[in-house]
Amino acid sequence: MRKDYNLEKRKYIIGGFIILIVAIYLVRLFNLQVMDSNYKIFADSNAFMRKTLYPSRGMMRDRNDKLVVYNQPAYDVMMIPKNVQEFDTLDFCSTLNITKDQFLKRIADMKDKRLNPGYSSYTPQKFITHISAQDYGRLQEKLYRFPGFFIQQRILRQYMHSAAANVLGNIREVSQRDIERDNYYAAGDYCGDLGVEKSYEEYLRGEKGVEILIRDAYGRIKGKYDDGAHDVAPVSGRDIKLSIDIDLQMYGEKLMQNKIGAIVAIEPSTGEILAMVSSPTYDPKLLVGRERGKNYKELVNNFYKPLYDRSLMGAYPPGSTFKPSQGLILRQEDIISLTTAYPCYHGFINGGLRVGCHGHGSPIALKPALQTSCNAFFCWGLKAMLDGKRAKYGSVAEAFEVWKRHLVSLGYGYKLGVDLPGESRGFIPNAQFYNKIYGEGHWSANTIISIAIGQGEILATPLQIANLCATIANRGWFITPHVVKEIQDTILPVELTERRYPTIDRQHFEDVAEGMRMAVTGGTCRLANLRDIEVCGKTGTAQNPHGKDHSAFIGFAPYNDPKIAICVYVENAGFGATYGVPIGSLMIEKYLTDTIAPERQYLETRMFESNTIISSGVKKH
């Protein structure tokens, strides 16, 4: 019989087709059972409920162990839409004190993926947040009537004082971007927002736990799966000890009420920030609970911007508080000696240019120039460095770059690295900046002379100005300013404990410190003179093109064993001696003695009651 080759080929084709079908089924089964977890999740969701256990957030205490931030339990009503069965809606709404319209709106908002990008009918969704203890108690008793709903315990931040809002920060619900950036978070979680809450979030937040509950065919919770053998307990966040003295902080905020500006006080030997006041401020309790969104919006729209932390974000002309840094550079570069004296004919007058100054003796040397805050001395000094040392530097631009490098080493022009978000770098121009404006080789000291006295293009934050004062107090070194003193079971980062040395020799800081002491004993800072405490200081009156001058002050004490260095900056308040000096000296006195001497209490009362916002003409438009 003759062999049919066509039939033989067909047999192989059919066999191959069957093998291919089997292979496809096997691959698909492998994907479904091993690679793709969706069906397992769906199946598990019918039998199990994985309930997240949120850790207690780390608490905060001040440097004297006074409790500042702590936790209170809060309760969110959650629902798994897939598990919701018919229930008495009116009873549910009555239990939670909401209307049926509010109920329907919450359901609609939950399912709106623009408002709730992570929505899934199989996963827990937030129905209502932060219910009261009374509502929680009522709902807990009736929860069995509302299948698909459960109560999730969380924490709310609570504050012992209505102070230090910009330092402490707050917590907010995470955004989709937060979730994408850090897989720790899920929809409905909270994270730190602003201040210490944000910068130390990973220490404060702790580690989540999980509780696995078993359900019957009707979705009712029947208890823990395997008696809780697979549950994971949450791990509390780490407690933080702040460097802030909360009593000094509150005192500073009271002195600055009805004023715009900032106070920064530093312990020179450690770089620890003792007080960090931004004014106007706000009560941190406003950003807690169900009213947070509404209150936050009001703060954002407030004309005086209380959310804007002027102590580290505000970039101001430092005015005459800049002069100590100029004295240090002139001495380091051997432009002047301690006996070098420059004339002051009620100001710096050269080539048709005049920078005014108040009356005092002339000619004048470095220490008396600091004592009397002479503008002319520092203008002549900058001119001698930029224009008079061509043989040393080669050009004005090269001399200027040397000048700038010294300032950067003193903490100006760049972020200091404080352990808070939002720090501004201020501004110190370079030679290229002026080349672009005036043309290369077409500018000199006279062109930019106002920078010698902290005006012109110079901008600094109160934090940077306070850090300069701490550097002088230490006679030539500083530690990066920081607001956290200790973290539970953790060593502080080395950048917050190491000394940083500017490019200026120690002996020059000693000379400047002596000039600042003279300013208190017989110069522009006489109001800062305290009984039994040797205070050193320097006033600053910063010109403001938009209105009244700003009042500034830097000071430290005691002279030989400094415990506090401070910067005060009050916008639109006039001379440095009018507000800067009184507020700064009161802060120093309060910190070192815990009281205000009877003969100085009139000064305290005046600062408490004064209102520079009204007197400056700054008002809402």
Side-chain angles (χ1 to χ4, degrees):
M1 184 177 176
R2 197 170 178 181
K3 201 170 187 179
D4 189 340
Y5 287 102
N6 287 330
L7 185 62
E8 192 76 17
K9 287 180 182 178
R10 194 177 301 159
K11 180 176 69 174
Y12 286 118
I13 290 170
I14 292 170
F17 184 72
I18 292 170
I19 291 170
L20 179 62
I21 295 295
V22 171
I24 290 172
Y25 270 101
L26 287 172
V27 170
R28 183 61 179 153
L29 285 170
F30 178 79
N31 280 331
L32 288 173
Q33 295 187 22
V34 179
M35 303 300 293
D36 191 342
S37 61
N38 283 335
Y39 286 95
K40 182 178 185 305
I41 291 170
F42 294 157
D44 285 350
S45 70
N46 290 325
F48 303 106
M49 185 175 114
R50 297 173 65 88
K51 187 176 180 182
T52 301
L53 301 176
Y54 288 92
S56 178
R57 197 168 175 87
M59 295 186 291
M60 298 186 206
R61 290 179 167 80
D62 86 335
R63 66 186 296 108
N64 300 311
D65 289 317
K66 293 182 179 178
L67 187 63
V68 177
V69 183
Y70 62 101
N71 303 311
Q72 269 192 345
Y75 306 96
D76 294 347
V77 180
M78 311 291 290
M79 66 180 286
I80 300 175
K82 195 73 175 176
N83 297 338
V84 174
Q85 300 172 21
E86 286 189 12
F87 65 95
D88 187 337
T89 308
L90 291 178
D91 184 20
F92 183 81
C93 292
S94 173
T95 303
L96 287 176
N97 283 320
I98 61 174
T99 66
K100 188 173 181 180
D101 287 342
Q102 289 173 322
F103 172 87
L104 293 173
K105 185 177 186 306
R106 282 188 168 89
I107 296 293
D109 289 347
M110 182 193 304
K111 293 181 177 179
D112 187 339
K113 293 202 173 184
R114 292 172 304 169
L115 300 175
N116 184 19
Y119 175 76
S120 166
S121 62
Y122 289 91
T123 59
Q125 302 295 318
K126 190 180 295 181
F127 177 76
I128 189 170
T129 62
H130 305 149
I131 63 173
S132 68
Q134 293 82 1
D135 289 345
Y136 165 75
R138 283 197 304 271
L139 182 60
Q140 186 68 34
E141 290 178 1
K142 298 181 178 182
L143 201 57
Y144 69 94
R145 301 182 189 176
F146 313 123
F149 287 88
F150 66 95
I151 297 173
Q152 177 77 66
Q153 183 170 338
R154 296 183 183 271
I155 61 98
L156 272 181
R157 289 307 235 180
Q158 293 294 329
Y159 302 90
M160 293 296 294
H161 310 282
S162 300
N166 284 311
V167 175
L168 301 174
N170 57 87
I171 59 174
R172 59 164 173 82
E173 191 169 340
V174 295
S175 64
Q176 189 61 32
R177 186 178 176 188
D178 295 322
I179 296 169
E180 292 167 359
R181 193 166 44 205
D182 189 337
N183 60 15
Y184 174 90
Y185 300 113
D189 285 358
Y190 290 83
C191 68
D193 185 39
L194 306 176
V196 173
E197 294 280 16
K198 182 174 183 177
S199 53
Y200 286 87
E201 164 70 7
E202 291 187 11
Y203 297 103
L204 289 165
R205 70 189 184 188
E207 298 174 22
K208 295 177 191 172
V210 65
E211 183 180 40
I212 305 174
L213 305 173
I214 193 165
R215 296 192 276 209
D216 63 14
Y218 298 99
R220 293 174 298 196
I221 301 298
K222 305 303 291 184
K224 291 190 175 186
Y225 170 64
D226 202 10
D227 292 326
H230 306 283
D231 292 354
V232 177
V235 178
S236 296
R238 296 175 188 176
D239 292 344
I240 279 179
K241 186 173 187 175
L242 301 169
S243 64
I244 298 292
D245 181 320
I246 195 62
D247 292 328
L248 186 68
Q249 178 77 23
M250 289 190 291
Y251 185 67
E253 291 187 14
K254 189 173 180 181
L255 289 169
M256 287 294 289
Q257 64 190 0
N258 297 317
K259 303 169 186 69
I260 301 174
I263 302 173
V264 179
I266 299 173
E267 183 178 65
S269 62
T270 62
E272 293 171 3
I273 296 174
L274 305 171
M276 199 170 199
V277 175
S278 177
S279 182
T281 186
Y282 61 96
D283 187 340
K285 297 168 190 169
L286 289 174
L287 298 183
V288 172
R290 285 157 72 175
E291 296 296 309
R292 182 191 190 279
K294 174 192 164 191
N295 292 335
Y296 185 82
K297 185 176 180 181
E298 288 178 358
L299 289 170
V300 167
N301 294 328
N302 187 302
F303 176 80
Y304 297 111
K305 304 300 178 190
L307 290 171
Y308 181 70
D309 189 347
R310 291 169 169 83
S311 64
L312 57 83
M313 296 178 180
Y316 299 102
S320 294
T321 64
F322 198 60
K323 290 173 182 174
S325 67
Q326 301 312 287
L328 291 168
I329 294 171
L330 295 174
R331 289 287 289 121
Q332 181 67 29
E333 289 299 306
D334 203 25
I335 304 300
I336 62 171
S337 69
L338 290 180
T339 58
T340 302
Y342 291 121
C344 180
Y345 304 110
H346 287 276
F348 171 81
I349 302 171
N350 181 257
L353 179 68
R354 185 178 188 277
V355 179
C357 190
H358 50 274
H360 55 72
S362 175
I364 195 167
L366 174 62
K367 291 178 186 178
L370 289 169
Q371 178 184 21
T372 60
S373 197
C374 174
N375 287 337
F377 179 89
F378 296 97
C379 290
W380 284 114
L382 183 68
K383 183 172 178 61
M385 181 173 177
L386 299 188
D387 295 349
K389 293 288 183 179
R390 297 294 176 93
K392 180 175 182 178
Y393 301 113
S395 68
V396 171
E398 284 302 315
F400 187 83
E401 287 300 311
V402 171
W403 177 86
K404 179 185 175 174
R405 282 195 291 272
H406 284 307
L407 281 175
V408 169
S409 79
L410 288 165
Y412 286 105
Y414 293 89
K415 294 179 182 181
L416 280 166
V418 66
D419 54 344
L420 288 172
E423 181 187 3
S424 169
R425 63 180 288 177
F427 184 68
I428 302 293
N430 56 19
Q432 188 178 6
F433 176 86
Y434 289 121
N435 286 341
K436 285 181 180 178
I437 296 174
Y438 302 109
E440 189 171 348
H442 290 86
W443 54 279
S444 65
N446 276 14
T447 316
I448 58 171
I449 200 65
S450 60
I451 67 170
I453 55 173
Q455 297 286 167
E457 294 73 32
I458 303 297
L459 296 173
T461 66
L463 177 67
Q464 291 172 331
I465 301 169
N467 185 68
L468 170 72
C469 191
T471 307
I472 297 169
N474 288 331
R475 309 305 196 266
W477 57 269
F478 67 91
I479 294 173
T480 302
H482 51 282
V483 297
V484 168
K485 184 179 177 71
E486 296 173 11
I487 307 171
Q488 180 184 357
D489 302 325
T490 306
I491 297 173
L492 279 181
V494 67
E495 57 267 25
L496 300 183
T497 58
E498 279 188 341
R499 291 186 180 188
R500 294 166 61 177
Y501 291 89
T503 53
I504 311 290
D505 296 337
R506 176 185 170 84
Q507 66 266 26
H508 305 316
F509 286 95
E510 196 68 64
D511 297 334
V512 167
E514 189 174 334
M516 291 174 66
R517 176 64 183 146
M518 291 163 60
V520 173
T521 57
T524 57
C525 300
R526 283 187 291 269
L527 270 177
N529 208 7
L530 302 178
R531 184 176 55 194
D532 302 326
I533 299 174
E534 291 185 299
V535 179
C536 301
K538 180 72 197 73
T539 51
T541 304
Q543 292 177 6
N544 171 26
H546 308 293
K548 200 171 179 180
D549 291 346
H550 303 315
S551 176
F553 169 76
I554 59 172
F556 67 88
Y559 178 75
N560 287 315
D561 185 22
K563 302 295 184 188
I564 181 172
I566 196 165
C567 167
V568 177
Y569 206 102
V570 186
E571 296 183 31
N572 312 113
F575 294 115
T578 308
Y579 284 97
V581 175
I583 291 173
S585 66
L586 287 166
M587 288 286 286
I588 290 172
E589 185 176 9
K590 186 73 170 178
Y591 180 68
L592 295 179
T593 69
D594 199 34
T595 188
I596 301 299
E599 65 270 19
R600 283 172 47 84
Q601 288 175 3
Y602 80 94
L603 201 57
E604 180 184 57
T605 301
R606 189 203 304 168
M607 292 301 106
F608 284 160
E609 295 177 353
S610 58
N611 188 327
T612 64
I613 295 176
I614 292 175
S615 64
S616 68
V618 176
K619 55 188 176 183
K620 297 180 184 179
H621 299 286

